[in-house]
Amino acid sequence: MGHTLLCVLGLFLLNTLPYGHAEVSNRASLTLQPNWPQIFSGEKITLRCEIDGGGDTQWTYEWKPDKLNIPPRHSEYRINSVTRSHSGEYRCKGRKDSYSSTEWSNVIRLNVSPNKPKPTLTAHNAIIPVGGTVTLTCSVRGSADWKYYWFKRTSDSSVAQPIRDGVPDSISVSQGGLYHCRGGRGDPLFFTENSDKVTIQETVSNRASLTLQPNWPQIFRGETITIRCEIDGGRDSHWTYEWTTTSSNTQSPTHSEYRIISATVSNSGEYRCKGRKDSYSSTEWSEAITLTVSSQTPKAQLRADDTDIPVGGSVTLTCSVNPSSSGWKYFWYRGKKTSEPLTTPDVVFLSTGQIRVSQGGLYWCRGGRGDPVYYTDYRDPISINTISESGICF
């Protein structure tokens, strides 16, 4: 009777356990390798089920969710190329035999992003100073364990070449170029998208300097001027040129001369230039030249030390430009403004802007300078009389 009661009680207890199974004291724990907070579509991951104190026991394994496409009795669930469909909660348990197992493990929630990440590339400066460097930083937001792969393009027509592989997120560069980066992690390597490109300019040691020709302190409307950019020690190099100005003029030449055929007030302002060796290396900007163009039209002033030429004598005529400036040559006329300028046989040239005349008539003058010659307005004429021996003026 006693044996029968024990047998019935045993069957009752067995049938009251879930599914007729007995739970063992060992604990199952689930780990994710690599243990990244964010997983991206295409990465390789492994979920591993470990049994505490179960190293000497032959275990089989069960997993949740049931949709997993894995060997049902294996301790690892390996996904070689994860997709968004793998997102969800995972659990495992170990089974000793058909009727005894561990409890379900901790839950690991897998979140798979459908898109590859795109790193951000930043530069602490866009221009490398002479002999210096610039630090570039590549980063993938909201993730971990990336190594970075760096690329540089050295001309508009070239292909980006790898320069650093599998290095930390910051590098120092000393050469100009078009840089980009990408991240990589895992085994096999999973790569991010390429970052946006960053242009880094290198400053070469050659110096740019400006000269103004003609170098007059006062420029008048209508004159022709040339600003020339010269590169120190750069004669054997093929340079292109960049210009910047505060004037309202939109001209932007790529050669060494900034030529203004007929200056206007709008050309007034500061001018600078630089020489460029290629797309990513150039000199520093030159010092500025300030150009001031006057809206005035200069006029010639004419005066005579006497308007009557005595018998056998002469008078001196003086021509000057108002407002005062430099570089002027003077052109003299007798009779009509349209006549040819006077030459040495007709007058005696004393100095710049002065002549001696011994013949009466109506005299004009004007100033001219530059190439092509820029002329001032004519001054009102002066009438010079010749006095005969009889004292009659004519």
Side-chain angles (χ1 to χ4, degrees):
M1 180 66 179
H3 290 289
T4 303
L5 180 62
L6 289 174
C7 183
V8 171
L9 180 61
L11 289 172
F12 172 77
L13 292 173
L14 183 62
N15 289 330
T16 58
L17 291 175
Y19 308 105
H21 294 171
E23 291 182 350
V24 297
S25 61
N26 307 79
R27 295 182 63 85
S29 61
L30 187 59
T31 59
L32 175 65
Q33 299 290 332
N35 189 19
W36 295 320
Q38 179 68 62
I39 306 296
F40 297 96
S41 181
E43 291 195 273
K44 177 182 177 180
I45 62 167
T46 300
L47 291 159
R48 183 172 289 115
C49 189
E50 297 176 350
I51 307 300
D52 177 38
D56 297 331
T57 304
Q58 184 68 34
W59 296 89
T60 58
Y61 295 84
E62 293 181 15
W63 294 82
K64 282 188 177 181
D66 297 332
K67 65 180 181 180
L68 299 183
N69 182 21
I70 59 170
R73 301 162 71 85
H74 200 278
S75 65
E76 288 186 351
Y77 177 54
R78 183 173 298 168
I79 307 174
N80 289 323
S81 182
V82 70
T83 67
R84 192 173 186 181
S85 65
H86 292 103
S87 296
E89 292 185 348
Y90 291 79
R91 292 180 177 87
C92 71
K93 68 163 57 175
R95 179 168 294 285
K96 268 188 173 183
D97 52 42
S98 300
Y99 304 106
S100 60
S101 68
T102 69
E103 293 181 347
W104 286 103
S105 70
N106 57 296
V107 174
I108 284 183
R109 179 161 187 81
L110 192 62
N111 293 309
V112 181
S113 173
N115 301 315
K116 279 189 174 185
K118 182 175 182 178
T120 300
L121 176 58
T122 57
H124 87 277
N125 198 335
I127 300 176
I128 303 172
V130 176
T133 61
V134 161
T135 299
L136 304 179
T137 301
C138 192
S139 60
V140 178
R141 185 178 180 182
S143 194
D145 291 344
W146 298 98
K147 297 291 186 180
Y148 293 92
Y149 298 76
W150 297 86
F151 303 84
K152 181 180 75 169
R153 196 172 77 183
T154 55
S155 69
D156 293 336
S157 59
S158 67
V159 176
Q161 299 295 324
I163 56 172
R164 303 277 181 86
D165 283 345
V167 297
D169 59 352
S170 294
I171 63 170
S172 293
V173 297
S174 58
Q175 295 180 329
L178 192 65
Y179 290 85
H180 73 270
C181 66
R182 64 175 176 172
R185 68 181 183 182
D187 182 17
L189 273 172
F190 170 81
F191 288 108
T192 68
E193 300 284 357
N194 289 331
S195 71
D196 291 334
K197 297 175 177 62
V198 169
T199 299
I200 301 297
Q201 294 288 342
E202 176 188 354
T203 306
V204 297
S205 59
N206 307 78
R207 294 184 64 85
S209 59
L210 283 181
T211 57
L212 177 63
Q213 294 185 351
N215 190 17
W216 295 316
Q218 179 72 61
I219 306 295
F220 295 99
R221 182 182 59 187
E223 289 196 271
T224 296
I225 59 174
T226 300
I227 306 173
R228 182 170 288 113
C229 186
E230 297 178 351
I231 308 299
D232 176 40
R235 295 182 179 178
D236 297 332
S237 299
H238 180 69
W239 297 89
T240 56
Y241 296 82
E242 292 181 15
W243 295 83
T244 183
T245 177
T246 59
S247 74
S248 58
N249 190 27
T250 58
Q251 180 184 1
S252 185
T254 57
H255 45 81
S256 61
E257 290 188 351
Y258 196 115
R259 189 170 176 84
I260 303 173
I261 301 299
S262 181
T264 65
V265 174
S266 68
N267 295 118
S268 297
E270 289 187 348
Y271 291 79
R272 289 182 173 85
C273 75
K274 67 163 61 173
R276 180 165 292 285
K277 269 190 170 181
D278 53 44
S279 299
Y280 306 108
S281 60
S282 67
T283 68
E284 292 181 339
W285 287 105
S286 68
E287 293 186 358
I289 278 184
T290 300
L291 186 65
T292 302
V293 181
S294 173
S295 60
Q296 294 178 278
T297 301
K299 293 185 178 181
Q301 292 182 329
L302 178 59
R303 66 180 187 274
D305 62 351
D306 199 337
T307 56
D308 294 328
I309 301 174
V311 175
S314 61
V315 298
T316 298
L317 304 180
T318 302
C319 191
S320 61
V321 173
N322 183 37
S324 178
S325 190
S326 58
W328 297 104
K329 294 181 180 180
Y330 293 89
F331 300 85
W332 297 89
Y333 306 86
R334 183 169 55 228
K336 296 180 179 180
K337 291 185 288 186
T338 56
S339 22
E340 290 296 318
L342 296 174
T343 56
T344 302
D346 301 305
V347 297
V348 177
F349 291 89
L350 301 177
S351 62
T352 302
Q354 279 192 331
I355 61 173
R356 183 183 298 134
V357 299
S358 56
Q359 181 180 349
L362 197 62
Y363 285 87
W364 309 74
C365 77
R366 63 175 175 170
R369 66 181 184 182
D371 182 19
V373 178
Y374 170 81
Y375 292 102
T376 68
D377 286 345
Y378 291 94
R379 181 57 179 168
D380 293 338
I382 289 180
S383 181
I384 302 298
N385 303 312
T386 301
I387 300 178
S388 66
E389 293 182 355
S390 62
I392 299 174
C393 295
F394 61 92

